[in-house]
Amino acid sequence: MQGKFKKFGLIAFGAVIGIMLSLNYSAVAEKEATKTMLSSLPVDDLRAFTEVFGKIKSDYVEPVEDKKLINEAINGMLFGLDPHSAYLDADAFKDLQVSTQGEFGGLGIEVGMEDGFVKVVSPIEDTPAFNAGIKAGDLIIKLDDAPVKGLTLNDAVKRMRGKPNTPITLTIMRKGENKPLVFTLTRAVVKIQSVKSKLVEPDYGYVRVTQFQEHTGENLAKALDNLYKQNKNPLKGMVLDLRNDPGGLLNGAIGVSAAFLPPNALIVYTEGRTEEAKMRLFGTRENYLRGPSQDDYLKGLPAGVKTVPMVVLVNGGSASASEIVAGALQDHKRAIVMGTQSFGKGSVQTILPLGNGTALKLTTARYYTPNGNSIQAKGITPDIVVEEATVNGVEAGMSLREADLERHLSNDKDTQINIRDKDKQIKIEVNPTNKNGAKDPKKGDTKSDAKNMPPELASKDDYQLTQALTLLKGLNIIAKR
């Protein structure tokens, strides 16, 4: 008997040594980490977990695989934290990597979870969902014939994705509608043009960023260069449109901000529990380029880009990376922010790959603007509030915001005084009657809505854009005087 125990002990000891070596920790560090981990483990709770696991395995009406139970347990752990932390299985992890390249299969909507249903945060421009008329704030209650209630967000996203050219029917509840709306969409390989530009008038440029992707910064640089070449003279004003931009890659946000700010300006900083989560990100090439060998796409920008008067347009669909850009330009007094309160997605999600091809998307920090304002659950407050009934197909006041999501991470600076008090804001109301015969912005363009056509880029009917151009022209008149 003693020999058996000795043999068992040697095997266990060998297993522990093997685990230590596979994790690449030094013996001393592993010993200390193991002591800390063991002392902090909630033994009673883990015992309850194993009892539940055992009961399901022995008594559930049908046999359940161990892998499914463990995956669901992991999903439940992350689901209970906040709306953005998630467990990514191998397929979801691969899809995430592909989507940042600007081309992926699906419908083209940024979604979140609310009351067990999928809510649309923002439709992405030039995608099947956007062109079909899906709007921010829509509540998806059925996918084909399957109810959404009870599905995890990952499960719902999987059902919405599929082979290109295959149909899917979305049943949607929309505020203001008496009955559900049914949309039949065709999945497509979504190719997102993240930067669009136009010379809206002589001397006035317009740049729209639809999403922050791997090449957004260099695409912006090309767009700005083209605008200055088209106009021949230095521009007198620039509108940066971030409305309904759901965010994306952080280095893209750094690159876009750095294009307009002085060299090495602080753009955003983060605070979290680990040292890796505490960052101060400046507009330096190492923070916006994908690698040291990549050419600096901001190096040859026209000199006027740094000083041209600017207005940044935001709304309730502006989230995450777009809020970082708006906050940086606002705090450095480089641009006037106009529109409505942004989404308020001010948390950092870190992708932590696991050894089996899966990954964790874990909230590890909060974002702060250069002046120390937390974006989380609050968003960017415009300097000039301009309401509009329809902005790129999204009705004003209908947008879902971070603070509306269940389990949203709180704003840790709620008790502090906001340096941009509401009583210091300028508010421009939409005139419900238009004597010039143009469409009533509160009613929208019913003809266009009926055809579900995407709006014209920098349309003359875009009330917020019109107000931005009016402001820029006024600033030029004041500067001359």
Side-chain angles (χ1 to χ4, degrees):
M1 181 66 70
Q2 186 176 358
K4 288 183 179 179
F5 277 120
K6 185 176 181 181
K7 184 178 179 181
F8 177 79
L10 289 172
I11 293 172
F13 179 76
V16 171
I17 293 297
I19 292 170
M20 289 170 63
L21 291 174
S22 67
L23 292 176
N24 235 357
Y25 282 112
S26 67
V28 176
E30 179 67 18
K31 184 178 179 181
E32 292 301 318
T34 303
K35 284 183 180 179
T36 303
M37 182 180 68
L38 290 174
S39 64
S40 62
L41 281 176
V43 178
D44 291 339
D45 294 329
L46 289 176
R47 186 178 292 115
F49 174 82
T50 56
E51 288 177 3
V52 171
F53 186 91
K55 285 294 182 184
I56 293 173
K57 290 290 292 180
S58 62
D59 295 0
Y60 188 66
V61 65
E62 294 178 348
V64 186
E65 292 182 358
D66 291 348
K67 183 177 180 180
K68 175 177 173 57
L69 287 177
I70 292 172
N71 283 348
E72 293 300 334
I74 295 171
N75 278 323
M77 265 195 297
L78 292 157
F79 179 80
L81 296 177
D82 63 73
H84 307 293
S85 294
Y87 175 60
L88 306 177
D89 61 21
D91 291 336
F93 186 28
K94 184 178 179 181
D95 288 341
L96 177 67
Q97 292 170 309
V98 171
S99 68
T100 60
Q101 307 299 315
E103 181 176 321
F104 56 95
L107 303 177
I109 45 178
E110 187 82 9
V111 293
M113 212 73 182
E114 178 73 10
D115 294 329
F117 294 107
V118 175
K119 264 195 173 181
V120 178
V121 172
S122 181
I124 302 171
E125 283 188 23
D126 304 325
T127 63
F130 183 86
N131 294 335
I134 304 297
K135 299 182 179 182
D138 282 350
L139 182 69
I140 302 174
I141 59 174
K142 286 177 71 175
L143 296 170
D144 287 329
D145 294 325
V148 171
K149 190 76 170 178
L151 295 178
T152 66
L153 185 59
N154 280 343
D155 288 338
V157 170
K158 281 182 184 178
R159 287 175 182 262
M160 286 187 279
R161 289 183 174 176
K163 293 182 179 180
N165 301 317
T166 58
I168 182 172
T169 300
L170 273 58
T171 304
I172 282 173
M173 291 295 295
R174 179 176 292 169
K175 189 175 180 180
E177 298 289 344
N178 296 325
K179 58 182 181 179
L181 304 177
V182 179
F183 296 84
T184 299
L185 287 72
T186 301
R187 298 180 179 93
V189 176
V190 179
K191 297 181 180 179
I192 299 175
Q193 183 182 348
S194 66
V195 178
K196 303 176 181 181
S197 61
K198 185 177 181 179
L199 199 62
V200 285
E201 292 182 15
D203 300 335
Y204 291 91
Y206 170 87
V207 176
R208 167 142 183 76
V209 180
T210 60
Q211 194 177 30
F212 289 87
Q213 299 170 348
E214 187 174 345
H215 299 283
T216 297
E218 53 196 296
N219 290 340
L220 173 79
K222 292 176 184 176
L224 292 173
D225 190 54
N226 287 336
L227 285 175
Y228 273 82
K229 287 179 180 177
Q230 288 176 42
N231 198 61
K232 296 183 180 179
N233 299 319
L235 293 176
K236 295 180 180 178
M238 175 75 66
V239 177
L240 177 62
D241 190 351
L242 301 177
R243 292 173 295 177
N244 300 318
D245 181 333
L249 296 180
L250 177 59
N251 69 321
I254 301 297
V256 171
S257 302
F260 300 105
L261 290 172
N264 305 327
L266 176 63
I267 292 170
V268 67
Y269 70 92
T270 65
E271 290 289 345
R273 293 173 62 194
T274 66
E275 287 303 315
E276 293 81 3
K278 298 173 183 177
M279 298 184 294
R280 294 180 67 83
L281 298 172
F282 299 86
T284 54
R285 56 174 292 147
E286 59 266 24
N287 288 329
Y288 58 78
L289 297 183
R290 297 189 303 277
S293 60
Q294 186 188 8
D295 292 335
D296 189 349
Y297 51 76
L298 298 183
K299 193 173 182 181
L301 281 178
V305 170
K306 297 288 186 183
T307 57
V308 61
M310 283 185 67
V311 171
V312 177
L313 292 176
V314 297
N315 67 358
S318 307
S320 190
S322 56
E323 294 177 290
I324 289 173
V325 174
L329 297 179
Q330 185 181 54
D331 280 5
H332 285 289
K333 301 188 185 302
R334 177 64 189 86
I336 294 173
V337 177
M338 178 183 285
T340 55
Q341 196 82 10
S342 65
F343 182 79
K345 167 58 169 62
S347 58
V348 182
Q349 278 69 52
T350 302
I351 305 301
L352 305 171
L354 304 177
N356 58 354
T358 64
L360 295 183
K361 184 174 73 167
L362 191 66
T363 300
T364 55
R366 290 181 175 89
Y367 285 119
Y368 299 87
T369 68
N371 285 349
N373 296 305
S374 176
I375 298 170
Q376 177 58 25
K378 182 177 183 180
I380 300 299
T381 303
D383 301 299
I384 301 176
V385 176
V386 180
E387 302 280 357
E388 187 163 24
T390 57
V391 180
N392 291 338
V394 180
E395 294 182 13
M398 297 288 287
S399 296
L400 174 73
R401 289 184 170 83
E402 175 80 7
D404 299 323
L405 300 178
E406 285 184 345
R407 310 175 316 280
H408 69 267
L409 194 66
S410 64
N411 185 307
D412 61 327
K413 295 199 173 184
D414 268 343
T415 56
Q416 295 190 9
I417 299 173
N418 183 8
I419 62 170
R420 289 179 289 274
D421 288 329
K422 288 187 177 181
D423 58 358
K424 295 179 181 178
Q425 289 179 335
I426 302 170
K427 186 169 184 178
I428 300 176
E429 300 285 355
V430 176
N431 186 353
T433 58
N434 193 324
K435 296 180 181 179
N436 295 325
K439 75 170 186 176
D440 180 355
K442 283 192 177 294
K443 293 182 180 178
D445 186 346
T446 54
K447 184 177 180 182
S448 176
D449 290 343
K451 293 183 179 180
N452 289 326
M453 294 294 290
E456 176 191 349
L457 181 68
S459 168
K460 293 181 180 179
D461 293 326
D462 188 335
Y463 183 75
Q464 289 178 318
L465 175 57
T466 302
Q467 292 299 317
L469 291 171
T470 300
L471 175 62
L472 289 170
K473 291 172 184 177
L475 292 175
N476 271 297
I477 292 172
I478 293 171
K480 287 179 181 179
R481 289 179 178 176

